[in-house]
Amino acid sequence: IEVDEFDLVVFGGTGDLAHRKLLPALYHRDLDRQLPAGARIVVTARRRYADADYRDWAAAALGEHVADLDEAALKRFLARIRYVPLDVDAGTGWSELAAVLEERPDVVRVFYLAVAPDFFGPICEGIGGEGLVNATTRVVIEKPIGKDGASARALNATIGAVFDEHQIFRIDHYLGKETVQNLMALRFANALFEPLWNAAHVDHVQITVAESLGVGGRAGYYDAAGALRDMVQNHLLQLLCLAAMEPPESMDADSVRDEKLKVLKALAPITGDSVDRLTVRGQYRAGASAGGAVPGYLEELGRDDSRTETFVALKVQIANWRWAGVPFYLRTGKRLATRVSEIVVQFRPIPHSIFDPEAGPIAANRLILRLQPDEGVTMQVMIKDPGPGGMRLRQVPLDMSFAEAFKVRNPDAYERLLMDVIRGNQTLFMRRDEVDAAWSWIDPILDAWAAGAGHPKPYTSGTWGPSAAIALIERDGRTWAEDG
Ligand code: NAD
């Protein structure tokens, strides 16, 4: 279904995000005829391109990232693009941008800030100063939203001085993934799971976001962040919220976000002495990955004094009625054994077995929601092994791979999220108070790490992180679902 007429302004339109994600996402939505006839993409960046130069650049980007480009669709898509050189530091280009936008004062107007966060303030001020905000204006910002609670509050205040909260879309692309939305469909469109979705029936939950790549050329940026800020504060906590929240009244944005906020507020604080017990930091060393030998983090950074973590594992408790006593084990890192992201809900064992010991062990049920590399859902159940050989039990996966089940191209998260912005639907975007609550929980961990003398534990590239992360869960008599 077509969305409303819009002008989408991309700041930082020559950057990596625009190149790899935004342009391909918009092309696909256009290919599927979701963009109305007059929809425009107004790109700004520092480079002094003419429209035609940028269109060439965009065509090359699409050629690189889209399989089977359709020539007619490409032509239609490129014709939507306007380019306005705009230098935020120098303050040039604003009146040219205003002139382009004033050609269509009545359409939905979206500003996408695909630039470093230092520019968010000046860009918002520029937008406000030029009088470019109207009733249907929206602004999209990318992570990182701050490097701690104080800087996030300052950033949100800067943006909030120009835009109302209902106009601000804080994007977390994990929330646009099919599986993540499927988590809500599974939980709230089936009678099967929700009665079991609590401490009485769930033993624990694991959330893993494992990358096989290292930081490569982005070491400079990454070193100021680290895995806790870069991945846990946003993506992993958002996944945890969706897995743990109470049923919202509806899919309405504030209903969903109210419930997520309650989860964030119920997170048991990890502070002071408990930081060492409940968190594990790691930093990769040289090792081997699929492509051969790879250097360590410090070599890539070119300094040997960095205490930045490229891996973190945490044992998290949610102090509320539903989840008391059920640990949520979170881990994420770079240069791990494989690229996989999943949420694993481990149910409790059956209370009593009626079967002979020869029937074999009875594994507890497990629901696995896979976000990467292939999205899908698996439910592990026990069955009788077929055949006349008596009662032998076996664990089998009830598997639903979306790619196989639906035979459709799996849309990228940005496609869904960009269309939600144009529709004005904030359900899958973070509200300001969620960002604050997440930082309030993260800050004490960062403080304790900064105050302590310890360094992250080294781990060899291509493994599952430091052995302390394995001990973190095994101390509790449990194991990581995926550990090579
Ligand atoms: P990038 O460095 O590749 O691109 C930066 C863009 O900013 C370029 O288009 C550049 O022209 C523009 N720019 C720089 N200085 C400017 C100035 N003075 N005036 C106007 N424009 C200027 O960055 P990126 O990787 O595309 O990331 C953009 C934002 O998205 C960042 O906030 C980043 O943290 C976030 N982000 C990126 C990714 C990703 O996959 N690349 C993922 C998540 C979040």
Side-chain angles (χ1 to χ4, degrees), residues 352-406:
H352 165 73
S353 172
I354 61 167
F355 299 99
D356 288 337
E358 300 88 79
I362 301 178
N365 297 122
R366 197 175 245 192
L367 178 69
I368 303 170
L369 297 121
R370 212 170 39 250
L371 283 63
Q372 266 166 187
D374 48 333
E375 298 202 45
V377 178
T378 301
M379 179 84 216
Q380 289 181 343
V381 295
M382 297 301 300
I383 56 149
K384 177 193 171 295
D385 222 351
M391 179 60 89
R392 292 202 53 84
L393 299 170
R394 184 150 63 111
Q395 187 181 44
V396 294
L398 291 180
D399 222 332
M400 199 173 94
S401 154
F402 300 154
E404 280 172 31
F406 298 108

Side-chain angles (χ1 to χ4, degrees), residues 12-17 20 45-46 86-89 114-117 119-120 142-144 218:
T14 54
D16 176 69
L17 187 70
R20 283 193 307 116
R46 224 170 4 174
L86 187 149
D87 189 325
V88 181
D89 290 325
V115 291
F119 290 117
F120 290 178
E142 275 283 348
K143 75 171 189 181
R218 296 178 86 87

Side-chain angles (χ1 to χ4, degrees), residues 68-405:
D68 307 325
L69 263 186
D70 179 287
E71 279 305 320
L74 175 66
K75 202 161 160 240
R76 183 173 76 229
F77 178 71
L78 293 176
R80 300 179 180 282
I81 298 180
R82 301 280 291 271
Y83 185 85
V84 180
L86 187 149
D87 189 325
V88 181
D89 290 325
T92 53
W94 284 103
S95 51
E96 289 79 358
L97 176 63
V100 172
L101 295 180
E102 276 151 21
E103 292 165 11
R104 302 190 346 135
D106 299 324
V107 301
V108 171
R109 186 179 288 172
V110 178
F111 296 102
Y112 198 118
L113 309 194
V115 291
D118 291 347
F119 290 117
F120 290 178
I123 290 177
C124 286
E125 283 156 20
I127 292 169
E130 290 292 327
L132 300 180
V133 182
N134 63 22
T136 54
T137 300
R138 282 143 212 169
V139 66
V140 186
I141 59 170
E142 275 283 348
K143 75 171 189 181
I145 301 175
K147 62 179 177 49
D148 55 19
S151 53
R153 280 192 297 279
L155 190 60
N156 279 326
T158 308
I159 298 162
V162 177
F163 297 98
D164 285 341
E165 182 61 25
H166 77 272
Q167 299 177 305
I168 304 173
F169 289 71
R170 297 179 189 83
I171 205 162
D172 184 325
H173 67 273
Y174 274 66
L175 300 188
K177 289 184 183 289
E178 286 292 318
T179 312
V180 175
Q181 293 171 61
N182 245 306
L183 175 55
M184 286 198 269
L186 276 182
R187 284 191 63 190
F188 304 127
N190 293 287
L192 206 56
F193 299 107
E194 207 46 29
L196 305 182
W197 209 261
N198 56 52
H201 301 285
V202 174
D203 178 75
H204 73 278
V205 176
Q206 300 180 15
I207 302 177
T208 294
V209 176
E211 298 175 69
S212 54
L213 296 177
V215 294
R218 296 178 86 87
Y221 154 78
Y222 190 84
D223 200 58
L228 192 69
R229 287 189 176 96
D230 191 46
M231 298 298 293
V232 179
Q233 187 272 341
N234 38 48
H235 308 313
L236 275 84
L237 285 185
Q238 286 291 320
L239 297 181
L240 178 145
C241 284
L242 291 176
M245 71 182 180
E246 296 299 317
E249 284 155 50
S250 69
M251 280 296 281
D252 165 71
D254 280 331
S255 302
V256 172
R257 299 187 301 176
D258 286 346
E259 295 308 332
K260 282 161 53 193
L261 181 64
K262 286 185 206 162
V263 175
L264 291 167
K265 289 185 166 172
L267 293 177
I270 299 183
T271 56
D273 293 346
S274 64
V275 172
D276 273 351
R277 198 161 38 84
L278 300 177
T279 75
V280 174
R281 276 182 292 168
Q283 194 184 66
Y284 62 80
R285 296 288 179 261
S289 84
V294 287
Y297 178 72
L298 298 174
E299 283 103 77
E300 285 177 332
L301 182 65
R303 274 192 8 236
D304 59 9
D305 60 348
S306 170
R307 292 207 295 167
T308 299
E309 79 287 357
T310 62
F311 174 96
V312 61
L314 307 116
K315 178 179 174 182
V316 181
Q317 299 276 359
I318 303 171
N320 67 14
W321 193 283
R322 185 187 284 255
W323 294 116
V326 179
F328 283 63
Y329 298 97
L330 273 45
R331 65 176 172 166
T332 181
K334 298 199 177 283
R335 279 283 174 71
L336 298 181
T338 182
R339 171 169 174 262
V340 62
S341 297
E342 59 185 25
I343 302 172
V344 177
V345 179
Q346 174 73 56
F347 290 92
R348 292 190 184 281
I350 53 163
H352 165 73
S353 172
I354 61 167
F355 299 99
D356 288 337
E358 300 88 79
I362 301 178
N365 297 122
R366 197 175 245 192
L367 178 69
I368 303 170
L369 297 121
R370 212 170 39 250
L371 283 63
Q372 266 166 187
D374 48 333
E375 298 202 45
V377 178
T378 301
M379 179 84 216
Q380 289 181 343
V381 295
M382 297 301 300
I383 56 149
K384 177 193 171 295
D385 222 351
M391 179 60 89
R392 292 202 53 84
L393 299 170
R394 184 150 63 111
Q395 187 181 44
V396 294
L398 291 180
D399 222 332
M400 199 173 94
S401 154
F402 300 154
E404 280 172 31

